[in-house]
Amino acid sequence: DRSPWGGILPLMRRLFPHPTAEDSALNLRSEYDVVREAPPGRPWVSLCMVASLDGSTVVDSTSRGLSNPTDQALLLILRSFADVILVGAATVREERYGPPKRADQRIAVVSRSGRLDFTTPLFTSGRAVVVLPVDAPEVPVDSIRAGHGHIDIATALAEMTHRWGTKVVQAEGGATINGLLAAADLIDELNLTISPQISGGDGQRLVVGAPALALRMQLAHVIEDDGFLFTRYSRAR
């Protein structure tokens, strides 16, 4: 049996809900193809991240060392459900983001300064938009401006809905962007891969820069593959 991304389906098992046997061949796309209903005036925000057992989201500045083939396939599947990919400027640089695969999809790069390399394929493709404060310098690509001296992420997301009819945004970090979303209570869904390793180092946690919060999430499912746990949570509102 072949997977939606062209490879052989891994042998995974669902641990919750309705556990399956260890030799089950789950369809990963089907497990994540759920209703994502945009709240009034803004898109549904789905956060996709991977973290080690000791809480780090990077190894040597990137997430690749924490990932496995199933996690990489899942990232592409989740992107296919989104209209816009939201990502911080540092993550774009470290992970070397290119243009989106879908012709109707945009990548929104969050930057307080607007100091980016606009000669990269991501920006020359015309498929990227920069999210930055109103008082940031001019940039040579399409932009969304929200907030003075800081980024008002709620206003930026509302503008995506107003301008493009955006219904689903996939956020992919880094931790500072996650902090902006958490502080504004804008995370509707968290797809968190738990990597079965202790990474050490001083890598950032999932969320950085947010005040103390108590945002309750509801567990939707847990899937296991080769010791990796693929969890999906939705915001309990």
Side-chain angles (χ1 to χ4, degrees), residues 67-237:
S67 188
N68 78 339
T70 303
D71 179 57
Q72 294 160 19
L74 176 58
L75 175 64
L76 298 180
I77 289 171
L78 290 171
R79 282 179 177 175
S80 75
F81 300 137
D83 303 304
V84 173
I85 308 299
L86 182 74
V87 61
T91 301
V92 165
R93 287 191 294 268
E94 295 292 345
E95 304 282 355
R96 299 179 182 178
Y97 271 59
K101 302 295 183 184
R102 261 180 31 210
D104 62 340
Q105 199 172 57
R106 293 176 175 84
I107 294 184
V109 181
V110 181
S111 172
R112 286 202 305 174
S113 68
R115 291 193 292 270
L116 299 159
D117 183 359
F118 294 107
T119 67
T120 63
L122 170 60
F123 290 106
T124 58
S125 70
R127 308 272 292 287
V129 59
V130 181
V131 178
L132 68 173
V134 171
D135 49 349
E138 292 297 318
V139 294
V141 298
D142 191 15
S143 65
I144 291 177
R145 293 176 178 267
H148 288 266
H150 70 284
I151 293 172
D152 182 342
I153 197 67
T155 298
L157 288 169
E159 177 62 19
M160 292 179 194
T161 293
H162 174 73
R163 189 183 298 188
W164 305 314
T166 302
K167 295 180 179 179
V168 177
V169 166
Q170 169 142 303
E172 298 182 357
T176 302
I177 306 306
N178 300 346
L180 290 176
L181 293 169
D185 194 9
L186 293 170
I187 300 174
D188 300 300
E189 176 183 3
L190 171 59
N191 294 297
L192 176 62
T193 297
I194 301 174
S195 179
Q197 61 178 292
I198 296 175
S199 64
D202 56 358
Q204 290 184 324
R205 296 168 50 205
L206 192 74
V207 170
V208 167
L213 301 168
L215 305 181
R216 179 60 188 266
M217 305 295 288
Q218 181 175 338
L219 181 63
H221 77 221
V222 181
I223 294 170
E224 186 271 340
D225 170 60
D226 192 30
F228 285 75
L229 297 179
F230 300 91
T231 69
R232 186 170 69 83
Y233 290 86
S234 60
R235 178 76 169 96
R237 298 192 183 278

Side-chain angles (χ1 to χ4, degrees), residues 40-69:
R42 70 165 179 88
W44 175 278
V45 178
S46 175
L47 176 58
C48 178
M49 296 292 293
V50 59
S52 66
L53 293 173
D54 53 332
S56 178
T57 57
V58 294
V59 174
D60 294 330
S61 300
T62 77
S63 62
R64 297 187 196 98
L66 295 171
S67 188
N68 78 339

